[in-house]
Amino acid sequence: MATIEPTFDSWRTYARSLLSEKVHYDDIVWKTSGTGSLFDLMSADHRPSPAQLSIPQSFMQDAAFVSAFRDDTTWALLYRLAFRLIYENKHLMSVALDTDVLEFHRRMRLVSRDLHKVKAFVRFKEIKKNDESIYMAWHRPDHRVLKFSAPFFTDRFNGMNWVIFTEDESMSWINNQLTFGPGITQQEALAFDHTEELWKTYYGSIFNPARIKVKAMKKELPVRHWATLPEASIIDDLLRQAPKRLEEFYESQRASAVSLIQENVSSLSELKAAIKSCAACSICHQATAPVFGEGPQNAEIVFVGEQPGNEEDMAGSPFVGPAGKIFMDALDKADIKRSDVYLTNAVKGFKWKEHDGMRKHVSPSSFEISACRAWVKSELELVKPRILVCLGASAAQSVFGKLMKVHDSHGKVFKTAFCDQTIILPHPSAILRTQDSEEKMRLQTQFLKDIIDLKHICLRNV
């Protein structure tokens, strides 16, 4: 029996020895003992073998990350996968439905999520000694992720001396040197001087009532962690004040856009230049740049879409992506030139989230539509269209100032503050999202008919 430190490096050393001798995973037990500082290898005492093993480097990198998962069975899972990769199927990690592979990726996701929480919720407290400051923090991670957070903290807090404690271990950055040491209990951490009022003041100042979601907050940071966050004690008070603060917040954001427009409202070109300075919502910081409307200021028809997509964000032009191509094809068949109409969006920036290395569209919120409405209003007041077409629910909400059901409004003509002949059509992206080929064809045919009817629909009664 060998008793060794339960680290990934020690596991790897003994695992390589066992794997080189083809010791089957059913013939070995990895057992954590005592307080978790040691584990016993229930097998013959093996020394590292010089044998070369063909284990994908990508697996070993991911395995090091998964080894942080706080469960004694993790070591056995890693060994079992390594054995199967070498002796059963070198492409095992591509078998998505394999039980071991599924469990490996589940643990990887949970470790990744816990690492995110360490980065987001560690709170430093300044401790002064002999006119020198050191910043200390204590956190209770679900898994052993502290070491993986080192690049984040050494980069973000490079200019100060700090120590982060957990029950398992500690990490310190003193005089630009990173070291790891033993952990301490929360009671031991509480013995340090506190500056919690600073965090309460800061949290109250940045609290965004438009984004607070209690269920999501509890999911991201379970209540058992709240004791380590000084700002958690003021959340109830902030929530009670949220309705009033929400309206004040909305108004201040809308006002920031309006103030820019009032100074630059004489032409579309000046409006386009002014929007570059807009910071009325968070999309402004996420998008590459605002994608403003395109077309002549005397256009008879204005089309308002939802928001730019990935292609529009990169090109800086509306309706050039996949949905835009469907739209342009319909305009061409209806004998309507792109250069004769004005094209814009309810929201001027591309809202997205990363998925499989790609930027995926995320629908704008009601607040984001409201924050951008001042720009749409100014565009429409300058163009003064004879026909105004809202493509989709977000565009309709921007123009009408309230939620509108696209299906119920289809084919009707409305009088709005911007145009006496305003209609609502489905956004062409709905065609892209449809999987059924027959339904896709029906939607394309209907969309084309709607575009062709534009020259006639203005004659109908409301």
Side-chain angles (χ1 to χ4, degrees):
M1 178 186 297
T3 302
I4 54 180
E5 291 294 327
T7 66
F8 180 74
D9 288 340
S10 60
W11 170 87
R12 179 174 55 190
T13 298
Y14 280 84
R16 282 187 176 276
S17 175
L18 295 165
L19 289 167
S20 67
E21 297 177 30
K22 299 185 180 180
V23 178
H24 195 271
Y25 47 82
D26 286 337
D27 297 330
I28 184 171
V29 177
W30 303 81
K31 186 181 72 173
T32 301
S33 62
T35 62
S37 61
L38 300 169
F39 65 67
D40 299 327
L41 176 61
M42 303 301 292
S43 177
D45 190 1
H46 287 83
R47 289 197 171 95
S49 169
Q52 295 295 314
L53 299 172
S54 179
I55 304 178
Q57 185 62 28
S58 59
F59 169 76
M60 295 304 293
Q61 291 174 348
D62 289 343
F65 190 65
V66 173
S67 71
F69 190 85
R70 196 185 298 277
D71 190 298
D72 291 352
T73 63
T74 297
W75 305 109
L77 173 66
L78 298 182
Y79 184 81
R80 188 162 59 250
L81 282 167
F83 184 96
R84 295 179 63 196
L85 276 165
I86 296 170
Y87 297 115
E88 296 178 8
N89 181 3
K90 64 180 181 179
H91 302 298
L92 176 64
M93 299 310 292
S94 299
V95 182
L97 296 181
D98 183 88
T99 302
D100 287 339
V101 174
L102 283 171
E103 180 60 20
F104 182 85
H105 287 298
R106 184 187 75 88
R107 297 190 184 199
M108 181 181 290
R109 288 193 301 271
L110 291 174
V111 171
S112 179
R113 180 181 174 186
D114 200 40
L115 178 59
H116 168 74
K117 291 177 183 176
V118 172
K119 296 175 183 178
F121 298 116
V122 160
R123 297 291 183 262
F124 286 107
K125 302 167 185 178
E126 184 181 16
I127 309 298
K128 283 188 174 290
K129 186 175 182 181
N130 299 328
D131 295 326
E132 294 186 1
S133 293
I134 184 170
Y135 294 83
M136 298 188 179
W138 190 89
H139 184 71
R140 183 189 287 115
D142 292 330
H143 304 289
R144 302 180 182 91
V145 296
L146 190 61
K147 287 184 179 180
F148 294 101
S149 70
F152 171 84
F153 285 104
T154 54
D155 178 65
R156 182 67 60 89
F157 303 104
N158 182 272
M160 65 189 207
N161 293 328
W162 49 261
V163 182
I164 301 173
F165 292 102
T166 70
E167 290 181 338
D168 300 303
E169 61 182 338
S170 61
M171 177 172 69
S172 63
W173 179 256
I174 307 295
N175 298 327
N176 294 326
Q177 292 292 319
L178 181 68
T179 57
F180 294 89
I184 61 175
T185 66
Q186 186 176 15
Q187 289 301 316
E188 291 172 317
L190 289 174
F192 296 121
D193 294 333
H194 289 217
T195 54
E196 296 186 352
E197 290 305 315
L198 175 63
W199 275 108
K200 291 180 181 180
T201 301
Y202 168 74
Y203 189 74
S205 68
I206 57 90
F207 175 80
N208 184 342
R211 300 184 66 183
I212 191 70
K213 296 180 180 179
V214 177
K215 288 184 179 180
M217 184 167 62
K218 290 181 178 179
K219 180 181 179 181
E220 285 301 312
L221 186 69
V223 174
R224 62 191 176 86
H225 289 303
W226 287 18
T228 66
L229 298 179
E231 64 268 29
S233 64
I234 63 171
I235 288 177
D236 285 342
D237 287 338
L238 292 174
L239 289 175
R240 281 192 292 270
Q241 301 167 14
K244 180 180 179 182
R245 293 189 65 183
L246 183 60
E247 183 54 38
E248 293 174 349
F249 179 67
Y250 278 7
E251 187 56 39
S252 66
Q253 298 299 86
R254 286 191 289 264
S256 67
V258 172
S259 64
L260 291 171
I261 294 169
Q262 287 175 343
E263 299 172 2
N264 305 273
V265 76
S266 63
S267 69
L268 289 173
S269 59
E270 290 181 347
L271 205 60
K272 183 177 181 178
I275 200 172
K276 296 178 181 178
S277 301
C278 184
C281 72
S282 59
I283 300 179
C284 303
H285 308 293
Q286 185 183 33
T288 302
V291 178
F292 200 66
E294 282 185 0
Q297 190 162 321
N298 62 348
E300 289 194 341
I301 304 176
V302 169
F303 292 93
V304 181
E306 181 193 70
Q307 68 168 356
N310 185 61
E311 288 81 357
E312 287 83 0
D313 178 76
M314 293 187 293
S317 182
F319 295 101
V320 295
K325 288 180 173 61
I326 292 175
F327 181 31
M328 291 304 109
D329 181 62
L331 287 182
D332 184 59
K333 290 178 179 177
D335 196 25
I336 299 174
K337 295 181 180 179
R338 178 184 175 115
S339 59
D340 289 340
V341 300
Y342 188 80
L343 306 173
T344 190
N345 283 295
V347 173
K348 307 304 182 188
F350 176 38
K351 183 179 181 181
W352 57 275
K353 65 179 179 181
E354 187 174 346
H355 180 71
D356 291 338
M358 299 177 66
R359 301 195 303 175
K360 295 295 185 181
H361 162 275
V362 176
S363 296
S365 67
S366 293
F367 163 67
E368 288 156 347
I369 294 171
S370 175
C372 223
R373 191 167 188 256
W375 298 104
V376 179
K377 176 177 180 290
S378 296
E379 287 176 286
L380 296 176
E381 288 176 346
L382 286 169
V383 177
K384 298 180 177 63
R386 198 160 64 85
I387 302 174
L388 174 57
V389 184
C390 303
L391 297 172
S394 295
Q397 184 177 345
S398 176
V399 170
F400 286 82
K402 61 180 180 180
L403 294 173
M404 300 290 288
K405 293 184 178 180
V406 176
H407 179 75
D408 293 345
S409 305
H410 192 182
K412 298 178 181 178
V413 179
F414 298 89
K415 183 176 181 178
T416 62
F418 309 111
C419 183
D420 289 347
Q421 296 166 127
T422 302
I423 67 172
I424 303 174
L425 299 180
H427 196 283
S429 61
I431 299 172
L432 292 174
R433 293 194 299 268
T434 304
Q435 300 298 316
D436 183 84
S437 58
E438 291 186 5
E439 177 64 10
K440 186 184 290 288
M441 181 64 70
R442 187 191 70 80
L443 291 176
Q444 282 183 310
T445 301
Q446 181 60 56
F447 186 70
L448 175 58
K449 182 180 182 300
D450 289 332
I451 298 300
I452 292 174
D453 284 348
L454 283 178
K455 295 180 180 179
H456 309 289
I457 199 169
C458 61
L459 301 176
R460 300 177 189 173
N461 293 326
V462 176

